[in-house]
Amino acid sequence: ESHAASFAKLVYVSSWIKKHHPAAFACALLNAQPMGFYAPAQIVRDAQEHGVEVRPIDVNASAWDNTLERRADGTLALRLGFRQMEGVREDQAQRIAARRGAGYRDVEDLARRAGLSGSVLRALADAAAFVSIGADRREALWAVRRGPDADPLPLFAAADARELAAEPDAALPALRLGEHVAAAYQTTRLALPAHPLAILRPRFAPE
């Protein structure tokens, strides 16, 4: 009976928090991973279905852990943290957040101020973490591959990377929804752009 009562209390408290504070509940579960019960994708999808706005990983907003952000209407949104993606360690994520200041201007600015390698920048680009600076996955990957992968020589390190890399912007085609979903699953195991079945529904719509 004591065992059953203990579990009943946990279930009641968890259910109450999930009902009245769904964003905080989802955030706490994600930060406690791995738990062995529900995958992050299931937690995020359930939160969205209960009215929680889930905001993507972003170099100008995310921390290592998942966090909560106040919306204009006073409710809370869930901001995904760098822990949800592959290719970024906790110490690197802490450095991104600590050196952010008023925000990173572009990929080169982030690389220089946070001291990130090319592999980490590519992982961030694959995860679409540069949207706040106006670059989607494809544009960010293009910008990352333009830069050097190793530490620059002293002469070039003293110069402005923006001037060194100045060249006309490439007119890259926009990624299709299916490409966004596939890339999201590969990097974060989440499908924030859309559910995979959303791509197939038009094919099965009644004529």
Side-chain angles (χ1 to χ4, degrees):
E1 292 181 0
S2 60
H3 189 74
S6 298
F7 269 90
K9 182 178 180 180
L10 287 174
V11 171
Y12 176 82
V13 172
S14 298
S15 299
W16 190 92
I17 296 174
K18 186 178 187 299
K19 168 67 176 177
H20 297 284
H21 305 282
F25 183 78
C27 184
L29 285 181
L30 290 173
N31 287 337
Q33 295 291 317
M35 297 177 64
F37 296 103
Y38 298 103
Q42 294 172 292
I43 297 171
V44 168
R45 179 61 57 182
D46 180 77
Q48 290 175 317
E49 291 177 353
H50 286 84
V52 176
E53 179 190 356
V54 180
R55 296 175 176 176
I57 300 168
D58 194 283
V59 295
N60 280 326
S62 293
W64 169 250
D65 284 327
N66 301 279
T67 56
L68 298 173
E69 296 178 349
R70 186 71 62 181
R71 300 178 62 196
D73 61 2
T75 60
L76 294 174
L78 170 61
R79 171 69 69 179
L80 296 180
F82 294 111
R83 64 156 54 233
Q84 297 303 136
M85 63 172 289
E86 297 180 0
V88 177
R89 301 192 312 268
E90 182 174 359
D91 63 304
Q92 294 166 333
Q94 299 287 9
R95 200 157 64 241
I96 293 173
R99 301 180 183 179
R100 182 180 295 150
Y104 298 108
R105 298 189 306 270
D106 49 38
V107 175
E108 290 84 359
D109 185 36
L110 170 65
R112 183 170 61 252
R113 286 162 57 185
L116 301 178
S117 66
S119 61
V120 176
L121 293 172
R122 284 191 292 273
L124 291 167
D126 280 329
F130 291 104
V131 173
S132 64
I133 62 175
D136 65 8
R137 281 187 173 89
R138 182 165 285 164
E139 293 169 335
L141 280 170
W142 179 265
V144 168
R145 295 182 187 282
R146 285 169 53 191
D149 189 54
D151 294 333
L153 296 173
L155 175 63
F156 294 98
D160 190 334
R162 291 163 62 92
E163 296 178 0
L164 292 173
E167 62 181 52
D169 292 332
L172 301 174
L175 286 173
R176 298 190 298 272
L177 179 59
E179 293 175 310
H180 274 297
V181 172
Y185 262 110
Q186 290 172 347
T187 55
T188 65
R189 301 294 184 264
L190 302 172
L192 286 188
H195 193 280
L197 289 180
I199 304 168
L200 301 175
R201 285 194 186 106
R203 296 188 180 185
F204 301 105
E207 297 181 357

